[in-house]
Amino acid sequence: MKPSVNRLLPLQIGLLGGIIAVLIGWQGMIVAFSTRDIIGNVISMGHTLLFITIFATGYIAITHSHVTRSVDQLIAGGSAGLVASALIVVSVWLGNVLPLGAMLVNAVPQLYELLTFKQGLVMGSVWLLVIGLVLGSLAALALILPAKIRQPIINALVVLIALGVLQDLVTVTLSNFDFLTPIVRFFYAANGLSLLGAIILFLGFAGGSYLWSTYSKNLQSRIDRLPPTRRRTLRWGTSLLIVLILLFLPSLVGLYLSEVIDNVGLYLLMGLGLNIVVGFAGLLDLGYVAFFAIGAYTVGFLTSPELGRAALMDNWWPALPFGVAMAAFAGILLGIPVLKMRGDYLAIVTLGFGEIIRLLALSDLLKPYFGGAQGTRSIPYPNIGPFQISWHPQEFYYLFLAGCLFAIFISTRVKNSRVGRAWMALREDEDVAQAMGIDLVATKLMAFAMGASFGGLAGAIFSSKLTAIYPHSFNFMISINVVSLIIIGGMGSIPGVVVGALALVGLPELLREMAEFRFLIYGIVLVVMMLTRPEGLVPEARRALELEEFKEESAAESASGEEAVVLETPGQQ
Amino acid sequence: MLRRWRERVNLTDIVMFIIGASILALALTGTVLNILHPKFTEQQWWSFVVDGLTLGSIYALIALGYTLVYGILRMINFAHSEVFMSGPFTAYFLADWMASTGFLEENLLVGLLAIFALAMTISTIVAVLLERIAYRPLRFAPRLVPLITAIGASFFLQYFFKGLYGPNIKVYPEITALRTVVEIGAIRIRYLQIFVIVAALLMMAGLQLFVMYTRTGKAMRAVAEDKETAALMGIDIDRIIVITFVLGGALAGAAGVLFGLTFKQVKFDMGFIPGIKAFTAAVLGGIGNVVGAMVGGMFLGVTESIGPSLFLDPLGVPSPGQLKDAIAFTLLVLVLIFRPSGILGERLAEKKA
C-alpha cells in the first residue's frame, strides 16, 4: 500500500521543530554554546545547533510526508523550515513585548541578539525567515542528491563540526609535538577553525570520504587475499600499536587530558561491574553507587589516620582487598532480600539501598567511623614499598588501566563460562531458566557479588586518588551515570561499555559548555535510544536477538490492530 | 535429620528473617525504652502525628498516580515525581505574582483555585505528553526498556525545568489566613494542615467515587483486570490509559501545590525524594489499590514523622532526624521482603512479577 501524501504534515513538523528550537533557546544552550566558534568569527557552536535543528526539521518533514517528486520535496522542506523559523521569530517578538525573563531564566536579551544575528528586530527576523527557508530547502537538496555525493558531504560536515567542537582537545594534544605547531596554527584560529583551514579540511574530508567509499571494498578484499601469515602479522601489528598507545597515553596527551581519561577509566570500571548485573543477568540496579561508596569507605576506614585513632594500615595496598571484599559482601547482602523481585521493584529497592548507604555515611551515628559530613581524609597514595613517587593523574592512569584490563579480562572470561550463560538465560526468562535447572539463588548472588566487587575496586582507587572522600561524592547521579553508559553502549556488550564511558564521561569533560546540560542530554539520549535503538550503540549479539523478537511481536501486534480497523470500516459506512 | 531440615528451610529465608527480625527488634526496643523513660510531652507526640498526617496525605496523592498507572500498565512511572514537580514549579510564578499584587490575600479562594488549576493543568500536560511520546511506543517492549525510558524521561524533565526556570529554590508565598493555630485538647493544628489533609481526603474520595461508579471508572478497572478482554468488550484501551495519566497528573499537580504551601519551597529536584516515598506508600498499601495508596501514604507519613523520636532517639542515635529518609527506605525494603502485596493489596499479588 502506498502511504498517502499529507500536505499539512510538513507544516505540523515545522511547528514542532520550531517549538523544539525555541525550547533549546530557553534552556540557555544557544547562549552557552555561542562562546565557542566552530569556524573563527564565521559561525559559533550555538548557531550551528540552531541551524542543525532547522535542517533536521526540514529533513524529517520530507521523509515523513513520503513525497517523491523533487519539487514536492523542496516545497515540503522549505515550508517546514520556514514555519520553524517563523516560530522562532514569534518567540523573539514575544520576548521583546513580555517580561519573559522574570519566569524563564534563560530568556535573556543576549539570546534574542543571537537569534536575530545582531541585526535588530526587523532585519533579524527577515534573516531568520530566509535562513529557515534556505535550510529547509537544503534538506530537500540533500535528499535529492545521489547518496554517493551526499554521504561524503555529510561526513565532511560532521568531521568539521567535531574538529571545531573539540578544538581544545585537538590543539592541546597536538601542542605536545613541536613540529606540528605550524600546521595547528594554520588550521585553527584563536577561537575555532580558521576559514581557509575549514575550507581545505572540508574539501579534503569530502574528497577522502568519496574516494574511500569507492575504493574501500577494494582494500578490504586485498587484505582478505593476503596469505594467512601476512594477515597474522598485520593483526599483531595493530594489536601492538594499540598496546603501545595505551602504555604511553598519559605522556602523549598531557595533564588535563590524563585527568579526563582517569575519569573515563573510573566510570569504565564501574560500568564493567554493573554490566555484569544489568547487562549479563538483566537485573536493573539503580543503587550501584552503594558498592562504590563501600569500597571507598572501607579503604578510608582502614588507612585514614584522622578518625581519632592511629590508622589501622599505613599503606593503601593491603586495604584494597578489604575494600573489594566488603563491596562483594554488601552485594550478597543486598542480593538476598531482592532475590524474588524483578524489574521495577528491584530497581526501586536498589535505589533505596544506595540512598540508605549515603544517608548512613552522612549521619552523626557513624561519624566516629566514617567522619560524617566532614568525610574521611588523608588516605595514602598507592605506593609500593620504598618507591615513593608523586601521584599525578598520569600515574593514576596506570592503576585505572590495570583495573579496567583486569575487569575486562574477567568479564570476557566469565561471559562465556557456565555462569555467564546461566546469567543470560536468567535475563531472557527467569522461569524457563529455573526449569532448565539453573540455581537462581547462586546465580543471582554471584552476579551481585561480582558486579559489586568491581564497584568496590573503583571506589578503592577513587579514594586514593582524591585522598579524601565525602558522602556527597556518592549520590544517586553516579548510579544513573553508570546505568546510562552501559545502556547507551549496549547492555551486555563489553566494547559497548567502553564506547559508553568515552561518550558519556569523556565527551562532557572535554566540552565544558555541555557540562551544564549533561543530565538533560542523558535523559534525551536514554529515551531516544530506547525508542529507536534499544540494543545500544555496540550491541551484543544475543541481546540484539532478544530485542529483535520484541520488534517482530509488536509489528505483528500493530498489524493486527490495523486489521481490526479494516474490519470496523464497513460497519461505519 | 540435618538434611531434611535443610530441604525445608532455605538459607536465604533465614538471612531475610534475621534482617527483618533485628530491625523489628531495634524498633521495639526503642519504643519500650521510650515508654519507660518518657522524654517528649504528649503535645509533642501529637504534633509529630499531625505533621505526619499532613505529609502523608501529600504522599498519598502522589502515590495514587503510581498506583493508577501500575494497575493498568504494570510499570512504575519513574517520571511521576517530575509530573509532581512541574505543576507547582510553574504555578509558583502565578502565586508569587498574585501575592505581590495583594490579590491572593484579598481573594483567597479564587487565588488558591487559580494556583491549583494551573498546577494541575501543567502536571496533566506533562503526564499526557510523557505517555504519548515515551511510553506508548514501548507498550509491548520487554520490561526493562520502558523502565529505562521512564528513568531517562525523569532526568530529562528534571533538568528541562531546571533550564527553564533556573536552579534556585523558589519560595511560595506565606498565606496569613492559613497560619492560625487551633487547639483541640493537646493537639495543636494549623489551618494550613487542616486544609492540606481535608483537600487531599476530598480528592481521594472523588477519585474513589470516579473509579467505582462512573462508566469510565469501570472501564479503567476492566483494563486493569485484563487488557485484551477489555479491548474485546469494546473499551478503547488507548483512551483509558490517557485518562489514567490525566488523573494521576492532576492529582500529582494538586499534591505539589499542597507541598509548596506546606514547605514553602519548590525546586527542580523537589520531586525525587517525595516520589520514592510516594512509591513506597503505594507499595505499602498494595500497588494497584486506590484505598491502599491512601492508607499507605498516611502510614508512611506518620512513621517517618514519629519514627526518629520513637525508635532511634532512645537508642542513643545522635541527631536521629537525619535518618528520617533512611526509615522510609528501610520500610520500603521490609515491605517488599515480607509482604510485597502490601497492607490491602491481595488482589494483584500474583500479577506483581
Side-chain angles (χ1 to χ4, degrees), chain B residues 16 29 37 47 50 53 86 111 115 142 152-153 156 162 168 198 245 253 261-262 268 278 347:
Chain B
M16 275 164 72
T29 325
H37 310 282
S47 84
V50 169
L53 285 177
S86 59
I115 295 172
F156 167 72
K162 180 190 172 193
N168 305 326
V198 170
F245 274 86
L261 291 174
T262 312
F268 70 95
R347 197 165 58 82

Side-chain angles (χ1 to χ4, degrees), chain A residues 211-476:
Chain A
L211 291 178
W212 175 255
S213 66
T214 323
Y215 296 111
S216 66
K217 282 209 189 87
N218 226 332
L219 191 70
Q220 187 61 44
S221 63
R222 261 175 64 190
I223 292 174
D224 286 342
R225 258 181 291 142
L226 281 177
T229 44
R230 290 279 299 282
R231 243 156 71 190
R232 201 175 303 144
T233 347
L234 199 68
R235 213 160 48 220
W236 275 103
T238 336
S239 316
L240 194 70
L241 195 69
I242 293 172
V243 169
L244 279 178
I245 289 177
L246 276 180
L247 271 181
F248 295 105
L249 198 60
S251 37
L252 280 177
V253 297
L255 185 70
Y256 171 65
L257 276 179
S258 299
E259 178 70 43
V260 174
I261 294 171
D262 280 3
N263 255 324
V264 174
L266 181 73
Y267 277 95
L268 177 56
L269 195 50
M270 283 198 271
L272 287 165
L274 191 60
N275 189 39
I276 292 180
V277 185
V278 180
F280 292 173
L283 307 161
L284 186 60
D285 183 346
L286 290 185
Y288 192 66
V289 68
F291 307 121
F292 180 56
I294 287 170
Y297 268 105
T298 308
V299 170
F301 176 73
L302 290 173
T303 57
S304 170
E306 291 198 6
L307 294 168
R309 56 174 166 73
L312 296 172
M313 294 171 183
D314 51 6
N315 197 320
W316 179 82
W317 288 99
L320 174 67
F322 285 97
V324 176
M326 272 308 284
F329 179 66
I332 295 175
L333 213 60
L334 167 73
I336 289 173
V338 298
L339 277 174
K340 291 191 186 116
M341 294 173 199
R342 294 179 202 182
D344 328 33
Y345 276 78
L346 180 67
I348 211 135
V349 169
T350 46
L351 193 160
F353 181 68
E355 282 294 296
I356 291 177
I357 295 291
R358 188 179 63 85
L359 287 169
L360 282 178
L362 191 63
S363 73
D364 289 346
L365 175 66
L366 298 177
K367 197 172 179 183
Y369 311 107
F370 301 122
Q374 278 86 44
T376 310
R377 279 165 300 184
S378 304
I379 297 164
Y381 283 128
N383 287 317
I384 305 173
F387 301 106
Q388 304 281 329
I389 46 172
S390 53
W391 284 86
H392 295 306
Q394 275 128 319
E395 280 79 38
F396 265 106
Y397 166 81
Y398 293 101
L399 208 55
F400 283 115
L401 183 66
C404 289
L405 288 179
F406 173 74
I408 289 176
F409 175 74
I410 300 272
S411 295
T412 25
R413 298 299 297 166
V414 154
K415 187 178 173 184
N416 297 316
S417 73
R418 196 183 171 80
V419 181
R421 277 177 282 127
W423 284 336
M424 265 157 243
L426 202 70
R427 182 180 70 194
E428 281 183 31
D429 194 321
E430 220 174 284
D431 300 325
V432 175
Q434 193 168 24
M436 290 294 150
I438 289 171
D439 181 355
L440 284 189
V441 173
T443 316
K444 277 192 179 180
L445 291 184
M446 184 80 179
F448 276 117
M450 205 149 175
S453 63
F454 288 173
L457 179 62
I461 302 178
F462 175 77
S463 71
S464 169
K465 179 161 182 281
L466 294 191
T467 71
I469 43 178
Y470 305 99
H472 66 75
S473 321
F474 303 102
N475 59 33
F476 179 57

